[in-house]
Amino acid sequence: MDFIHPSLAEITEAHSRIQNYIHRTPILTSKSINEITGADIYFKCENLQKIGAFKIRGATNAVFQLKDNIKAVATHSSGNHAQAVAYAGKLRGLKAYIVMPENAPKVKVKAVKGYGAEVIFCEPNQKAREAALNKVVENTGAAFIHPYDNEKVICGQATASKELLEDAPRLDIVMTPVGGGGLLSGTSLTVNYLSKGTKVIAGEPAGADDAYRSFYSDQIFPSINPKTIADGLLTSLGQRNYSIIKEYVDSIICVDDQEIINAMQLIWERMKIVIEPSSAVPLAALIKNKADFDNKKVGIILSGGNVDLGKLPF
């Protein structure tokens, strides 16, 4: 299926639409991490974003383009997109219904309820999520805000790399994690429009490597029984996301859970900032393939910081 990819004008409009509701997050560097990796790294700290993750960007852009006759929003998500839709819905005075898997991190469930949303639990698989979501939409008439396979969401996520490129120009490489592909597809579009010579590389957990397999073939492989500590990266790639990623992303690198934990711990220790496992995946990928990044200027989007402190892996 051919999709028209969002334009630079649409991404720029998204940025001006949402900028009063989000933080322009800082870019941090670490001399010691640069010495360990041999790269010159600029961390775009979306862990310091409202709701603790980049997802607020896409959700706000989508929710604020809904027609005035819409009275409620709904989505399915294991956490960060759930919080984002609950928060964006609250900003617009809309009721939010969020379908979450029974094993979603407690910290994320609590936050979703804190924004006044109604949580509906389901079994932890894609089929159960979608069935529960369809039921909610049928019963309430709520507008479904897809976590990633939605052009308005992609445009919103694209604004993180727009800020990164404005604040840290002339990067050789930009890296993000990949789950459903919202952040990666948005990032690759922005980089293509604003910084042609810059490569886009994603990190993905080996225990949920559907994007890796899909990227290196001509079809989308669904995420079946993913097992990884990176709970934000469990979903299958979206159709729109896949079509953008195939065209504009240079490579995807898989890393195992121990490599993710090591990278997460490194950032906690050296930078004194809280990130969740999913956020550590790009740095883990860089460390794994260190030689490819030697002496390169690398922007890494730290996607979020909503980690269950009772379950730290180190």
Side-chain angles (χ1 to χ4, degrees):
M1 208 183 271
D2 285 334
F3 296 103
I4 295 169
H5 298 157
S7 65
L8 178 59
E10 288 171 293
I11 293 167
T12 306
E13 279 163 26
H15 203 201
S16 56
R17 183 177 295 113
I18 69 176
Q19 61 189 0
N20 291 338
Y21 305 107
I22 63 165
H23 295 312
R24 189 181 183 104
T25 50
I27 292 170
L28 299 182
T29 57
S30 164
K31 199 169 167 216
S32 61
I33 292 181
N34 287 350
E35 283 167 3
I36 289 163
T37 60
D40 188 11
I41 306 176
Y42 297 81
F43 293 98
K44 173 70 170 162
C45 294
E46 289 293 291
N47 56 313
L48 303 177
Q49 186 54 269
K50 287 188 180 179
I51 73 108
F54 75 92
K55 294 275 192 180
I56 190 64
R57 295 172 181 270
T60 305
N61 189 46
V63 167
F64 274 81
Q65 288 183 78
L66 292 172
K67 293 188 168 74
D68 288 341
N69 62 342
I70 300 286
K71 298 291 178 258
V73 287
T75 197
H76 57 79
S77 162
S78 62
N80 289 338
H81 179 69
Q83 290 177 70
V85 170
Y87 182 79
K90 190 179 176 187
L91 286 175
R92 260 202 84 175
L94 304 174
K95 172 85 178 150
Y97 299 95
I98 313 290
V99 173
M100 298 184 82
E102 294 151 343
N103 61 353
K106 286 188 175 59
V107 63
K108 295 182 180 180
V109 175
K110 190 178 169 190
V112 170
K113 289 180 174 173
Y115 295 127
E118 188 176 314
V119 175
I120 298 98
F121 290 107
C122 69
E123 283 179 35
N125 63 64
Q126 196 76 8
K127 203 174 166 189
R129 277 182 181 209
E130 286 167 8
L133 187 275
N134 291 340
K135 206 168 161 188
V136 168
V137 169
E138 212 174 290
N139 294 342
T140 64
F144 171 38
I145 308 290
H146 196 284
Y148 43 87
D149 198 354
N150 172 315
E151 280 172 30
K152 295 177 175 74
V153 169
I154 292 169
C155 284
Q157 318 308 27
T159 63
S161 51
K162 179 175 179 284
E163 292 175 6
L164 172 63
L165 293 169
E166 287 166 358
D167 295 345
R170 293 182 296 282
L171 294 171
D172 297 306
I173 298 162
V174 173
M175 301 184 76
T176 80
V178 57
L183 181 62
L184 180 59
S185 59
T187 298
S188 65
L189 282 174
T190 304
V191 170
N192 173 63
Y193 294 138
L194 298 179
S195 189
K196 274 269 192 270
T198 302
K199 287 185 170 174
V200 177
I201 297 174
E204 184 172 44
D209 68 345
D210 56 291
Y212 174 86
R213 286 182 293 126
S214 305
F215 182 74
Y216 291 106
S217 73
D218 288 320
Q219 66 184 92
I220 297 180
F221 287 97
S223 181
I224 298 166
N225 299 326
K227 286 184 176 56
T228 172
I229 189 171
D231 63 84
L233 306 178
L234 302 175
T235 45
S236 304
L237 273 182
Q239 298 276 357
R240 286 171 185 77
N241 314 95
Y242 177 68
S243 121
I244 295 167
I245 288 165
K246 278 291 276 189
E247 189 162 343
Y248 299 116
V249 171
D250 292 277
S251 65
I252 296 176
I253 299 167
C254 285
V255 286
D256 65 35
D257 274 13
Q258 192 54 55
E259 289 166 325
I260 296 168
I261 291 165
N262 294 347
M264 183 181 174
Q265 188 167 2
L266 185 64
I267 287 176
W268 278 58
E269 283 174 354
R270 303 300 170 117
M271 297 177 70
K272 307 293 180 269
I273 57 172
V274 175
I275 65 161
E276 58 190 83
S278 304
S279 280
V281 172
L283 179 61
L286 185 156
I287 292 168
K288 183 175 187 170
N289 289 28
K290 236 169 34 174
D292 296 343
F293 297 91
D294 197 38
N295 283 321
K296 296 278 195 283
K297 268 182 86 170
V298 183
I300 292 183
I301 299 179
L302 293 177
S303 51
N306 295 318
V307 64
D308 190 338
L309 295 178
K311 289 187 178 170
L312 275 186
F314 47 77

